[in-house]
Amino acid sequence: MFLLLLLVLVLLGAGAGVAEPPQQLHVAFGADDHSMVVCWATRGAASAGDQVVRWGRKSEDSEKWTEVAAATTTAGANDYFKHRAILRGLRAHTEYGYTVGDAGNAAATVTSFFKSQRNATDGAWQPRIAFFGDLGWTNDQILPLLKSEAAEGDVDGIVLFGDMIYWAGSEAEAEASFMRDVSAMSGH
């Protein structure tokens, strides 16, 4: 009986400190036509370690993708860590794949895709941008439409202005919830 109890305690303890998979994943235009910024959050002390982005053209074998270290900051409440990496040298209007997360733990990674922006000098490009504001949280009727527009490739960017959320609880959890919703619109 003692051995069984010891085994259960060891197995329960084995999961302590294991990083959760990344969340709140989103991409944003970089400083020029040939860069994108990848942002994500992780939760738990174990997630503060070596966070990286591995990226490359979607058509390439992911084993050949480039690895970039992420800058990490703490977000305060709820043990969230925010990570940010800049992907440079992108080809215009090209599909890329990327994996974010813990460099030493494949179970604590997430893979997604995006299409790089067109060259600013491309006179044929007429960007399609959705603007919205005062989103709220419990009455966010616009989110399903924005997710659909992004998934179909009907918009090139989404801009939020105004208040993003009205929340009676923790501000940090409200932001985390909003960013999880935004991640569904990013990278299409």
Side-chain angles (χ1 to χ4, degrees):
M1 182 65 173
F2 174 73
L3 285 174
L4 179 60
L5 178 60
L6 181 61
L7 178 61
V8 169
L9 289 174
V10 168
L11 289 176
L12 287 175
V18 174
E20 295 178 15
Q23 56 177 287
Q24 306 173 34
L25 179 63
H26 58 285
V27 294
F29 292 134
D32 59 43
D33 295 349
H34 305 287
S35 64
M36 292 289 273
V37 180
V38 180
C39 302
W40 70 98
T42 53
R43 193 169 186 176
S47 70
D50 298 327
Q51 295 288 312
V52 299
V53 176
R54 289 184 38 75
W55 67 278
R57 287 192 312 276
K58 189 176 178 181
S59 60
E60 288 180 329
D61 178 3
S62 63
E63 294 298 317
K64 297 178 182 176
W65 288 1
T66 302
E67 186 171 290
V68 177
T72 299
T73 59
T74 58
N78 299 321
D79 295 325
Y80 278 103
F81 292 87
K82 304 277 182 163
H83 312 284
R84 182 178 186 268
I86 301 172
L87 313 184
R88 292 185 169 89
L90 303 175
R91 294 181 183 173
H93 202 60
T94 302
E95 290 187 71
Y96 286 92
Y98 63 103
T99 299
V100 303
D102 187 331
N105 182 0
T109 63
V110 172
T111 300
S112 192
F113 304 91
F114 68 89
K115 185 180 277 187
S116 59
Q117 59 185 316
R118 295 177 188 247
N119 286 327
T121 57
D122 182 354
W125 184 44
Q126 296 179 352
R128 299 158 299 178
I129 301 173
F131 290 87
F132 71 101
D134 293 331
L135 177 64
W137 186 69
T138 57
N139 193 20
D140 53 359
Q141 297 175 16
I142 192 70
L143 280 180
L145 176 62
L146 289 172
K147 288 176 185 177
S148 173
E149 295 277 314
E152 296 297 320
D154 292 336
V155 294
D156 295 305
I158 300 173
V159 177
L160 166 68
F161 59 94
D163 297 329
M164 73 173 192
I165 236 167
Y166 304 106
W167 183 272
S170 159
E171 187 174 315
E173 192 52 45
E175 179 187 350
S177 175
F178 174 77
M179 294 308 295
R180 283 189 293 270
D181 286 339
V182 167
S183 69
M185 295 180 270
S186 183
H188 292 282

